């Protein structure tokens, strides 16, 4: 259970509790070394790719849209999508369900508390509160979501509408993920049919994040710089706070676009493309005034499916640059390594 004020490292303290206590300063365990602290003055007017997905269904526009997707994947590993087929009410319901969950009493949420990354449903704070050297200003609930009939009975029963609202969104994002994967593989010259079964039977992990207002947002982060392990992450956010790193290691703030969804390439796409596309490094900054919610739908191939560079993208000029890995390999890695110290993908790159 949470104590009052500062707790010893082995006790669980949610960020929501610190916020309710109106702590005037960030507790020391959240303070980052100066070199790792965020720049909160980045220009929010940066133009980042926004792609109208409805154009993929028009023969006269499809080729141009695929070129735009290809450019975004090569340059940033990131783009935003509009006209993505998920109705606004479904999006708003998912955010409402997340809000209701994080507003539950601590006792209710603690029934789902776990620091075991293999658990199918788990509530927690920071990255892993039990092992983090520095803590991050985030509370989360994570749960597997595909096929939804295998997992939904394990999801929170409170709030009462959670399973229905979050389930509708999870199912809709799963459909969108398949459409996005088909387009991205086409831009690489790869046959979607060769991976269709693995994509349709792959994993979907919903990571629902709460970043409460922070008294000293210049000293800490909601999430440290990292890339995601899977094929794609489709991110819904309630406001600005996400920053991404371009190919020159420069941080860019992602503008908030109402109704848009963010698409981030993961490590499996980088490996599959043999490095033609890069998984995007991103971090989460905080606000002194506003709470931010995000719902990250993380997609990957089946948990034991080994993925390596596609043979079609390997030749004498482009030798194999990565060792094979699976989602399970990633889970084993983060069980004993801090992703704030070293990205997982760096552990599977072949030395030149």
């Amino acid at each position: 259970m949470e104590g009052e004020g500062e707790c010893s490292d082995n006790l669980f303290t949610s960020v929501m509790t610190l916020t309710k206590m109106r702590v005037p300063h960030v507790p020391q365990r959240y303070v980052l070394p100066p070199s790792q602290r965020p720049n909160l003055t980045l220009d929010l007017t940066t133009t980042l790719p926004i792609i109208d997905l409805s154009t993929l269904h028009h023969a006269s526009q499809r080729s141009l849209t695929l070129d735009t997707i290809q450019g975004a994947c090569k340059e940033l590993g990131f783009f935003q999508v509009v006209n993505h087929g998920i109705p606004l009410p479904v999006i708003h319901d998912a955010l409402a369900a997340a809000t209701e969950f994080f507003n539950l009493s601590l006792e209710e949420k603690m029934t789902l508390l776990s620091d075991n990354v293999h658990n199918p449903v788990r509530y927690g704070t920071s990255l892993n509160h039990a092992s983090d050297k520095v803590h991050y200003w985030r509370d989360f609930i994570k749960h597997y979501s595909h096929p939804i009939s295998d997992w939904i009975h394990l999801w929170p029963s409170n709030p009462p509408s959670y399973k229905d609202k979050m389930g509708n969104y999870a199912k809709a994002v799963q459909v969108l993920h398949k459409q996005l994967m088909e387009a991205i593989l086409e831009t690489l010259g790869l046959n979607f049919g060769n991976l269709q079964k693995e994509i349709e039977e792959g994993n979907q992990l919903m990571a629902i994040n709460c970043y409460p207002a922070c008294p000293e947002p210049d000293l800490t982060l909601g999430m440290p710089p990292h890339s995601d392990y899977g094929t794609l992450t489709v991110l819904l956010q309630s406001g600005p706070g996400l920053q991404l790193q371009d190919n020159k290691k420069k941080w860019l703030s992602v503008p908030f676009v109402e109704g848009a969804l963010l698409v981030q390439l993961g490590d499996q796409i980088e490996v599959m493309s043999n490095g033609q596309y890069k998984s995007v490094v991103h971090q989460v900054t905080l606000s002194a005034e506003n709470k931010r919610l995000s719902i990250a739908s993380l997609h990957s191939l089946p948990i034991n499916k080994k993925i390596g560079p596609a043979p079609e993208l390997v030749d004498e000029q482009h030798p194999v640059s990565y060792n094979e890995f699976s989602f399970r390999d990633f889970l084993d890695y983060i069980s004993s390594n801090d992703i704030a110290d070293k990205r997982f993908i760096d552990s599977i790159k072949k030395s030149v």
Side-chain angles (χ1 to χ4, degrees):
M1 282 295 154
E2 297 181 13
E4 293 299 315
E6 281 282 343
C7 297
S8 62
D9 285 344
N10 63 341
L11 293 179
F12 178 85
T13 306
S14 78
V15 182
M16 284 286 282
T17 294
L18 294 174
T19 304
K20 288 175 182 175
M21 291 164 55
R22 299 183 183 277
V23 293
H25 301 287
V26 169
Q28 188 58 40
R29 65 184 174 278
Y30 293 91
V31 177
L32 289 165
S35 63
Q36 297 174 26
R37 294 173 191 172
N39 177 1
L40 300 178
T41 62
L42 294 181
D43 187 2
L44 264 172
T45 62
T46 305
T47 303
L48 295 171
I50 299 178
I51 295 171
D52 182 345
L53 284 190
S54 67
T55 57
L56 284 175
H57 307 297
H58 300 286
S60 61
Q61 298 172 286
R62 182 176 174 85
S63 178
L64 185 60
T65 303
L66 288 173
D67 287 346
T68 306
I69 291 173
Q70 183 179 51
C73 290
K74 280 187 172 178
E75 292 297 316
L76 290 170
F78 167 92
F79 52 94
Q80 298 200 61
V81 293
V82 294
N83 291 325
H84 41 63
I86 303 180
L88 265 180
V90 173
I91 286 174
H92 290 156
D93 277 355
L95 289 170
T99 299
E100 290 179 58
F101 174 80
F102 289 113
N103 284 341
L104 290 173
S105 70
L106 176 65
E107 289 72 24
E108 183 81 35
K109 290 178 287 191
M110 288 289 279
T111 62
L112 300 168
L113 179 69
S114 174
D115 56 19
N116 182 350
V117 299
H118 295 277
N119 275 8
V121 179
R122 64 188 185 100
Y123 165 68
T125 192
S126 188
L127 293 177
N128 190 330
H129 70 274
S131 58
D132 292 341
K133 293 190 286 286
V134 176
H135 284 217
Y136 296 93
W137 199 262
R138 168 183 85 140
D139 292 345
F140 66 83
I141 180 169
K142 297 181 179 182
H143 45 66
Y144 289 113
S145 307
H146 180 74
I148 200 162
S149 57
D150 286 358
W151 303 109
I152 197 166
H153 66 284
L154 299 172
W155 291 12
S157 297
N158 253 337
S161 63
Y162 185 91
K163 290 178 181 176
D164 184 46
K165 289 179 176 178
M166 198 62 72
N168 286 339
Y169 178 72
K171 287 184 286 187
V173 178
Q174 182 67 21
V175 172
L176 174 61
H177 168 254
K178 181 180 173 182
Q179 179 187 0
L180 289 166
M181 281 297 294
E182 188 169 2
I184 288 169
L185 292 178
E186 187 174 339
T187 67
L188 285 166
L190 300 176
N191 185 345
F192 176 73
N194 292 343
L195 270 177
Q196 183 171 351
K197 185 172 186 289
E198 286 87 351
I199 289 168
E200 290 176 348
E201 295 178 358
N203 282 286
Q204 179 187 23
L205 177 70
M206 303 293 287
I208 297 96
N209 304 300
C210 177
Y211 304 99
C214 176
E216 295 175 298
D218 54 326
L219 298 183
T220 187
L221 284 165
M223 285 279 279
H226 68 286
S227 59
D228 295 334
Y229 59 85
T231 50
L232 301 178
T233 298
V234 180
L235 184 75
L236 167 62
Q237 56 175 356
S238 66
L242 183 69
Q243 293 183 345
L244 62 85
Q245 205 173 62
D246 67 12
N247 54 16
K248 296 175 182 171
K249 308 285 187 188
K250 178 185 173 187
W251 285 107
L252 306 172
S253 283
V254 177
F256 174 68
V257 179
E258 176 70 31
L261 296 172
L262 286 57
V263 180
Q264 301 169 184
L265 300 196
D267 293 345
Q268 287 185 342
I269 288 286
E270 178 168 336
V271 170
M272 198 185 305
S273 73
N274 201 30
Q276 285 191 35
Y277 295 170
K278 295 290 192 284
S279 55
V280 63
V281 175
H282 53 288
Q283 65 182 16
V284 177
T285 61
L286 304 158
S287 165
E289 295 85 29
N290 300 314
K291 176 175 73 175
R292 175 176 174 268
L293 294 170
S294 74
I295 301 175
S297 183
L298 297 113
H299 299 264
S300 70
L301 301 182
I303 191 164
N304 293 315
K305 169 69 177 177
K306 294 280 187 179
I307 186 73
E312 302 94 317
L313 303 179
V314 174
D315 55 31
E316 285 187 12
Q317 287 73 41
H318 306 94
V320 171
S321 299
Y322 305 84
N323 294 312
E324 290 188 332
F325 83 100
S326 67
F327 178 24
R328 187 176 297 281
D329 294 331
F330 168 80
L331 290 175
D332 291 342
Y333 179 87
I334 64 170
S335 294
S336 54
N337 293 274
D338 188 341
I339 65 166
D341 291 338
K342 182 180 180 182
R343 292 170 63 200
F344 167 73
I345 197 164
D346 292 334
S347 72
I348 59 168
K349 286 180 178 174
K350 286 183 174 288
S351 54
V352 178

